[in-house]
Amino acid sequence: MSRSRWEVRYAGFRLLMFLLLCLLFPRAVSANDEQGDVVFSPRLQKAYFEIQKLRLPAARELIDDERALNADNPFIAYLDSYADLHYLLISEDRSRYKIFVQQQDNRLERVGRLPEKSPYKRLFQADIRLHSAFAKLKFGNEVSGSWEIIKAYRLLEDNHKKFPAFTPSLKSLGLLHVLIGSIPENYTWIAKILGLKGNIAQGIRELREVVKEEPFFRQEAELIDLLLHAYTLQLSPEQQVRIRQWPKEQPDNLLLHFFATTVLMKENRSEEASHFLADAPAGKEYMPFPFLLYLRGEIALQHGDYDDSFTFYSRFLKQYIGFNYIKDSYFKMFMCRWLAGREQEGTGYLQKVTQTGSTIVEADQFAERFAKEFGEGKISPTQKVLYSARYATDGGYFQKAWELIKTVSEKSFGTTYEKAEFNYRMARILQKSGRTNESVPFYDRSIALGQTDAGAGGFAASSALQMGYISKKNADNQKAAMYFKKAMSFKKHEYKNSIDNKARAALTELGQ
């Protein structure tokens, strides 16, 4: 994948690609709210909510029933596109993706029949293009997907100018304003040339205006706001409470259980996340979601339950028809054996890492690099403690991570890469354990090592990002900005897109 292209799907897009796409588009409206030839019938409104719950079979049946009565209703084409997007993002079904792309022009044409006086015309056109954009980006069609985003942005801007009181436009527009405002600095000139204007604060205000003014749209806009903070900005205490409330309020909503699980796992709360995962609804009325098995494998690995973890990854691979996280799953299956002292049983899975799957997501890129380096004899057995500590930290098992990491020191490792990782892991464990002041020297040491060895740049960049957050929390904005800029200065490491995206967002919040 070329890094010289405008990476509209930089990490913010990749980490939000599924989590935001699923809630972004349909608008729940009252049955009496009709403009032009758009008919928000009770049946279609129910289909919209069924899609949001990932109850796609039931949703499609409702849509087909309505189609038999009024096939020309543009809302049907809109919901067809929306349901397809959910299916594609979860299943990664290449054959269905081809059909989806072929159907786009027809859906746009049907929506385009709406009169110019209807604010839903451009809104539906823009959102169908956004459906297509994110699907194309998901399936590796970067250039075409990027142009779809540009077209959608222009339609939304035009709609907002023509109908400034039509608040639903602000939901999609607010999201794009945040994402464009988060583009790494070295790509902002392209956005300006293309006429794309982004501002994080503006986008958040727009989303919150929808929350305040549109009761029917409130949850959707609030969730987009929350997910932007979870994956690009930082969650507030109130938002952390909210992400736990929604699945309890809607126990039949699989999507909300998935969101709660993934956000809590990102926040190093895998034990809590496992409860939402266990309570997630299942059955034939829901679309297949094998990625939940992958998440169960992740949590078991973090807890050190290697046999259980191995089984979950194996089951995921048997049920999954997609292309992302395949390399990572085989890599984790190797890890389950390697960390348990059963290396000979695991080496075959490293071979599959190099032979299957894709390298679109960062996890798969890392898996392939590890497999190559392990085969070249560059991975020492001493690194086992670093991986065990890493997984325990990721899961929020900080005492276990501390017990592991304190058995070694920087002198235990022979390469600069390993030394930089040791210092980063030590700092992260201390920071997450509430010992922030003790973490600072280790972060700074990792940064220094990364400046002397480009191979250690990923740990140095991650350390600089965390030092930026620490300085920002201490109200030392000048030092925070210095660290955020330093985080973006490290080149060609596997986490560059995501770290640059977060650092750029933090600098924007600081007014820089």
Side-chain angles (χ1 to χ4, degrees):
M1 181 176 61
S2 173
R3 298 285 180 137
S4 62
R5 298 176 184 171
W6 176 46
E7 294 183 349
V8 177
R9 71 182 168 142
Y10 55 88
F13 271 151
R14 286 187 184 143
L15 289 170
L16 291 166
M17 189 177 301
F18 175 72
L19 300 171
L20 288 177
L21 308 165
C22 297
L23 262 283
L24 173 58
F25 305 112
R27 293 352 191 229
V29 295
S30 69
N32 296 323
D33 186 2
E34 299 181 8
Q35 301 212 21
D37 297 320
V38 180
V39 181
F40 296 94
S41 69
R43 186 182 284 111
L44 292 183
Q45 289 187 64
K46 184 177 181 182
Y48 152 64
F49 287 113
E50 293 289 83
I51 293 170
Q52 279 198 351
K53 294 176 181 179
L54 298 183
R55 296 166 61 97
L56 296 192
R60 292 188 190 280
E61 184 176 344
L62 289 165
I63 295 169
D64 288 341
D65 287 346
E66 189 75 15
R67 198 188 325 270
L69 299 176
N70 184 8
D72 293 329
N73 182 1
F75 195 41
I76 292 176
Y78 187 87
L79 290 177
D80 281 338
S81 177
Y82 184 60
D84 285 349
L85 181 66
H86 280 71
Y87 174 79
L88 291 173
L89 293 173
I90 293 172
S91 71
E92 298 183 353
D93 184 333
R94 291 186 185 276
S95 61
R96 290 283 292 273
Y97 167 69
K98 292 179 181 178
I99 296 172
F100 171 81
V101 172
Q102 293 168 357
Q103 292 174 327
Q104 179 185 351
D105 286 344
N106 177 262
R107 289 167 178 171
L108 286 170
E109 189 275 331
R110 287 160 66 190
V111 169
R113 298 173 191 169
L114 284 166
E116 288 295 315
K117 67 180 181 179
S118 172
Y120 285 101
K121 178 175 183 174
R122 288 174 183 80
L123 175 64
F124 282 7
Q125 288 174 327
D127 285 353
I128 288 174
R129 287 199 177 277
L130 283 172
H131 295 169
S132 179
F134 286 107
K136 287 178 178 179
L137 293 171
K138 177 79 168 181
F139 283 78
N141 195 343
E142 298 169 318
V143 175
S144 180
S146 299
W147 280 111
E148 294 284 12
I149 289 175
I150 293 167
K151 292 174 184 177
Y153 174 87
R154 291 172 178 168
L155 283 164
L156 289 166
E157 284 279 353
D158 188 36
N159 206 44
H160 188 49
K161 290 177 182 177
K162 285 182 165 60
F163 306 99
F166 186 63
T167 313
S169 294
L170 296 181
K171 196 174 321 156
S172 302
L173 198 54
L175 171 64
L176 291 181
H177 283 155
V178 173
L179 295 179
I180 294 168
S182 303
I183 291 175
E185 189 173 11
N186 53 325
Y187 294 111
T188 56
W189 65 274
I190 300 177
K192 290 178 182 178
I193 289 175
L194 295 172
L196 306 178
K197 298 178 181 179
N199 182 286
I200 293 174
Q202 176 189 353
I204 296 299
R205 284 197 303 271
E206 289 167 340
L207 287 166
R208 291 179 180 176
E209 181 177 344
V210 177
V211 172
K212 180 180 178 181
E213 301 294 336
E214 297 288 342
F216 288 107
F217 310 149
R218 181 172 295 130
Q219 176 173 297
E220 184 181 342
E222 186 181 0
L223 185 53
I224 293 172
D225 183 4
L226 184 150
L227 293 172
L228 285 168
H229 279 82
Y231 288 90
T232 303
L233 307 170
Q234 286 186 305
L235 287 170
S236 68
E238 293 77 15
Q239 288 175 319
Q240 291 187 23
V241 171
R242 187 63 177 141
I243 194 64
R244 294 164 169 81
Q245 291 177 339
W246 275 333
K248 296 175 182 177
E249 294 171 358
Q250 299 183 39
D252 66 337
N253 192 318
L254 177 55
L255 191 59
L256 289 181
H257 281 78
F258 170 74
F259 285 153
T261 299
T262 53
V263 171
L264 287 169
M265 289 179 69
K266 180 185 176 297
E267 294 292 308
N268 310 112
R269 297 180 178 276
S270 290
E271 194 69 30
E272 187 177 3
S274 66
H275 297 301
F276 287 98
L277 191 54
D279 291 339
K284 61 182 181 181
E285 59 269 33
Y286 294 90
M287 73 164 292
F289 203 165
F291 193 72
L292 300 181
L293 291 169
Y294 172 89
L295 294 178
R296 295 180 71 178
E298 292 284 278
I299 293 173
L301 178 62
Q302 292 165 356
H303 194 260
D305 299 329
Y306 299 129
D307 286 342
D308 287 346
S309 178
F310 183 94
T311 299
F312 285 128
Y313 288 125
S314 178
R315 289 175 59 194
F316 164 68
L317 289 169
K318 289 177 181 177
Q319 297 182 26
Y320 187 54
I321 63 173
F323 44 86
N324 287 316
Y325 296 99
I326 293 177
K327 291 180 182 292
D328 181 64
S329 294
Y330 281 123
F331 162 67
K332 298 290 179 53
M333 291 172 75
F334 164 79
M335 275 289 166
C336 289
R337 296 298 187 240
W338 190 52
L339 296 178
R342 298 157 63 182
E343 181 176 327
Q344 293 302 316
E345 298 178 41
T347 52
Y349 297 105
L350 280 189
Q351 294 177 357
K352 292 189 176 182
V353 169
T354 61
Q355 297 169 355
T356 59
S358 66
T359 54
I360 296 174
V361 298
E362 290 173 342
D364 289 331
Q365 294 169 16
F366 180 84
E368 180 148 294
R369 184 170 70 82
F370 178 96
K372 180 181 178 181
E373 292 182 355
F374 191 91
E376 295 171 349
K378 295 180 180 179
I379 305 296
S380 69
T382 315
Q383 288 193 36
K384 287 184 180 183
V385 69
L386 295 179
Y387 279 98
S388 296
R390 169 190 175 178
Y391 295 137
T393 304
D394 289 345
Y397 306 109
F398 303 127
Q399 184 59 38
K400 178 179 180 179
W402 172 248
E403 294 296 328
L404 288 164
I405 202 73
K406 73 178 184 179
T407 64
V408 292
S409 67
E410 183 180 312
K411 294 180 180 179
S412 304
F413 303 96
T415 67
T416 303
Y417 179 91
E418 291 171 339
K419 294 176 187 292
E421 180 174 6
F422 164 77
N423 281 280
Y424 173 73
R425 300 291 173 210
M426 176 67 82
R428 200 77 179 118
I429 292 166
L430 289 168
Q431 182 187 11
K432 286 291 184 179
S433 301
R435 300 159 65 182
T436 302
N437 291 338
E438 295 177 60
S439 73
V440 170
F442 291 99
Y443 278 135
D444 280 336
R445 175 61 176 160
S446 183
I447 294 169
L449 289 166
Q451 290 174 324
T452 64
D453 187 334
F459 297 115
S462 297
S463 296
L465 181 68
Q466 293 304 321
M467 284 298 296
Y469 288 142
I470 291 171
S471 300
K472 183 171 177 283
K473 187 175 181 179
N474 292 336
D476 191 343
N477 290 347
Q478 184 176 357
K479 183 180 286 188
M482 181 272 290
Y483 276 115
F484 289 134
K485 291 175 182 177
K486 185 178 290 292
M488 294 189 294
S489 70
F490 293 94
K491 309 297 183 184
K492 295 182 180 179
H493 56 84
E494 60 264 26
Y495 302 113
K496 182 164 181 59
N497 285 335
S498 57
I499 289 174
D500 281 9
N501 181 46
K502 292 175 183 177
R504 169 50 49 195
L507 284 169
T508 302
E509 284 191 310
L510 292 174
Q512 299 200 24

